[in-house]
Amino acid sequence: MSNTAPDPRGTAARPLRIAVIGSGPAGVYAADLLTKSAPVSSGELTLSIDLFDRYPAPYGLIRYGVAPDHPRIKGIVNALHKVLDRGDIRFFGNVDYGTDLALADLQRHYDAVIFATGAIKDADLNIPGVELEGSFGAADFVSWYDGHPDVPREWPLDAKEIAVIGNGNVALDVARVLSKHADELLVTEIPDNVYRILKESPVTDVHVFGRRGPAQVKFTPLELRELSHSHDVDIVLYPEDFEFDEASDREIQSNNQVKTMVSTLTNWIAEQPEDLSELTASRRLHLHFLQSPVEIVDSPETPGKVAGIRFERQELDGTGNVRGTGEFTDYPVQAVYRAIGYFGSSLPDLEFDHRRGVVPNDGGRVLGADGAFVPGVYTTGWIKRGPVGLIGHTKGDALETIGHLLEAREELPVADEPAEDSVTELLASRGVEFTTWEGWIALDAHEKALGSAAAPAVTHKGEVARERVKVVSREEMVEISNGAAIPS
């Protein structure tokens, strides 16, 4: 189609062609909300949407960034599955933007492009000793235990005492996986290599450190309560950490979520024996508050390796923020996990805000170096607003972005080659072994079959059948997936 020809886009003869890059919740919600938008529902507009992902399987951070025993993961996956299983959104996996497809390729085949690539790197923690052996980013560890196809299969779990820095959901996920007995995870989709290494872990104590107080934590009641479900793991709290200022009291009274979490924590500490030697579990999960990391240290016995971590005691300043007290405490640990947040990665051919880790945008409309809108290019999710918020925020992001896209649909650039098969032909010509939704159904069935064939998990509740075993190798994922038909 020529850019000077009459524009029949949005009709039955020529649907508006949209590419979404990233098949996590942000990308799937954007595609789903487009199909349910008023212009489409009324018949005024027709769409053709292709969803691309660099991994052979869909779901993004839901598959590769959430602990396998997370209580909400199944519900989220089921919701995303229903959207993609309808058949009105095509899925192309194992396609890496910037390698297999460039922005110019997408603009040639689509009228609009939405980037929903999320954030997968760890935010930096700028303290001395962060480079020591045994100092890890939580995002890397999460990728490992979730069977990410592009990370090593091994992980050095040789520490008896571990520090986790952060007070968000990821910090609790990491701490729970580190402290939980591996057999308890066999009822999840945990890969076999991950189970084997966790099973051999000598860990006895995992310490979670937050910079502010119990009323300022960033995790949610569901994740907090999940800590108490781990068998043979005692939760340890410290009375001196439970100080509340005026801002904390106001937050507790006005925010039901904060009230619930503070109530849970104070109940736990009230039930805790004064003499901690009376705790009987073989592992302990310590929750510390009002501690700010100062330095990760080694020792003469282990030069170059983590031997401890130093914190400065904090105090609340009346506003809910904290200030240092000048009191320092050293904790002997042999590993440190930094769970202070994710950070976005730059995308080829797009501007990038290296301070915030996002693609510069105005309400989801991508901005160029000159500050003007890049025609037909949009963004949503964490790469749009930064890695904060929950699933509900992701839906709000998508609504804002697609609203701007639909408002501008008459002015969008016109794709030169909008035929649906032109993209598959391009990928095939470049030797890209892309996967499809039909391929995911095949891989999904294969993983469930692996679970059915595995020996039952023996937990403290008895024998439990394994639901599935996650395939880790990218090559194996592609091979299993590509037993299915290629979309046309």
Side-chain angles (χ1 to χ4, degrees), residues 62-80:
I62 296 300
R63 181 172 168 93
Y64 294 121
V66 179
D69 63 340
H70 193 288
R72 293 180 58 206
I73 189 170
K74 289 181 182 177
I76 298 171
V77 167
N78 289 340
L80 300 180

Side-chain angles (χ1 to χ4, degrees), residues 114-183:
I114 302 175
F115 286 91
T117 51
I120 60 173
K121 296 194 306 183
D122 284 289
D124 291 334
L125 177 64
N126 295 316
I127 61 172
V130 74
E131 76 289 343
L132 291 174
E133 181 181 342
S135 171
F136 306 104
D140 292 334
F141 182 59
V142 172
S143 292
W144 172 75
Y145 69 57
D146 272 334
H148 193 295
D150 298 333
V151 302
R153 304 289 187 268
E154 302 297 315
W155 191 273
L157 282 181
D158 51 10
K160 289 187 176 181
E161 300 159 301
I162 300 173
V164 179
I165 303 173
N167 255 175
N169 288 337
V170 174
L172 291 196
D173 274 357
V174 167
R176 193 176 66 253
V177 170
L178 285 167
S179 61
K180 202 167 192 173
H181 291 278
D183 286 346

Side-chain angles (χ1 to χ4, degrees), residues 91-114:
F91 171 73
F92 292 87
N94 204 41
V95 179
D96 186 22
Y97 170 75
T99 302
D100 301 319
L101 288 175
L103 181 60
D105 297 319
L106 295 170
Q107 291 173 321
R108 187 166 69 253
H109 296 288
Y110 299 92
D111 305 302
V113 183
I114 302 175

